[in-house]
Amino acid sequence: MFLKLSLLLGLLALGPHVCSWKFEDISKSTPNFRLCVEFAVFHFNEHEPDEYAYKLLWVGRSQRKKYRWIYLMDLELGRTICKKHDEDIDNCPLQEGLEQKKVSCTFIVDSWPWFTQFTLLNSTCQQKWGEEFPAPTAAPFLLRNEAPSLASMTVNTDH
C-alpha cells in the first residue's frame, strides 16, 4: 500500500514536468526541423489554389514541443514565377510588381522521423502587403546537396 501511494505521489509531482505542453526554442538547423519546414512548404503549395509555387524566404520562430516531435514554425513564403509542379522551385525567381505576393504562415507539424512521416496539425497564413522581407536565397537553412527529396517523404494524414 505504501509503495502504491509513493508511486502515485511521485507521478503527481513529476507529471506536469514530463507531460508539459510547452514549446521550446530550437536551432533552425536541426535536421528534423528542416524536414518539417520543407513538408510545410510542400503542403502549402499542394493546397494553395494559386497556380504558381511559393518558396521559403525566411524562417522566424523555430520551436519543438518538449518531449515530443511536434514542431511550431513561423515561415515567410514568396510567390515565384514557376508553376506548382515545375522542377527546382527553390531556384525560381520571385514574381515582381502587381503579381508579387508574400505570405506569413504559422505551421504546427507532427513528425515521426524514424518513419519519415509528417502530419500537419494546424496552419494559419496571412498575405503580407508592402512589408520588407530578408533577401531570399535558394535554400535558406540547408547546406548544398543536403536538401531532402520530397519524393522520399511519406505523408500520413490519418493520424
Side-chain angles (χ1 to χ4, degrees):
M1 177 69 172
F2 180 72
L3 179 61
K4 289 181 183 178
L5 182 60
S6 298
L7 182 59
L8 178 62
L9 289 174
L11 287 174
L12 289 174
L14 289 175
H17 302 290
V18 173
C19 299
S20 174
W21 292 102
K22 292 175 110 178
F23 282 94
E24 297 180 333
D25 290 337
I26 60 167
S27 169
K28 293 172 176 66
S29 64
T30 303
N32 201 50
F33 178 76
R34 295 185 318 197
L35 288 172
C36 289
V37 168
E38 189 162 339
F39 169 76
V41 174
F42 172 77
H43 189 277
F44 177 86
N45 277 319
E46 287 296 308
H47 293 89
E48 175 66 21
D50 196 332
E51 66 180 306
Y52 293 98
Y54 285 72
K55 72 177 182 178
L56 180 65
L57 301 178
W58 182 69
V59 178
R61 180 171 41 174
S62 58
Q63 296 183 328
R64 183 178 138 193
K65 192 171 278 195
K66 194 171 187 174
Y67 307 115
R68 301 286 305 270
W69 294 100
I70 297 176
Y71 294 88
L72 173 66
M73 63 199 74
D74 291 333
L75 309 178
E76 300 290 342
L77 307 175
R79 186 183 197 208
T80 69
I81 62 171
C82 297
K83 303 289 183 169
K84 283 186 178 184
H85 300 288
D86 287 352
E87 296 286 325
D88 200 18
I89 292 171
D90 286 334
N91 290 319
C92 193
L94 293 174
Q95 291 191 1
E96 296 179 2
L98 296 176
E99 297 296 313
Q100 181 180 14
K101 288 186 184 177
K102 293 180 182 175
V103 293
S104 175
C105 298
T106 299
F107 296 98
I108 300 176
V109 177
D110 187 7
S111 72
W112 294 67
W114 45 93
F115 296 120
T116 318
Q117 292 183 342
F118 303 89
T119 305
L120 185 67
L121 300 178
N122 194 8
S123 69
T124 57
C125 294
Q126 286 185 312
Q127 187 164 350
K128 305 297 271 185
W129 300 101
E131 295 184 25
E132 286 298 317
F133 291 89
T137 59
F141 55 83
L142 298 176
L143 299 175
R144 186 173 293 192
N145 297 326
E146 252 190 42
S149 167
L150 287 177
S152 67
M153 292 185 170
T154 303
V155 180
N156 179 7
T157 57
D158 303 324
H159 208 262

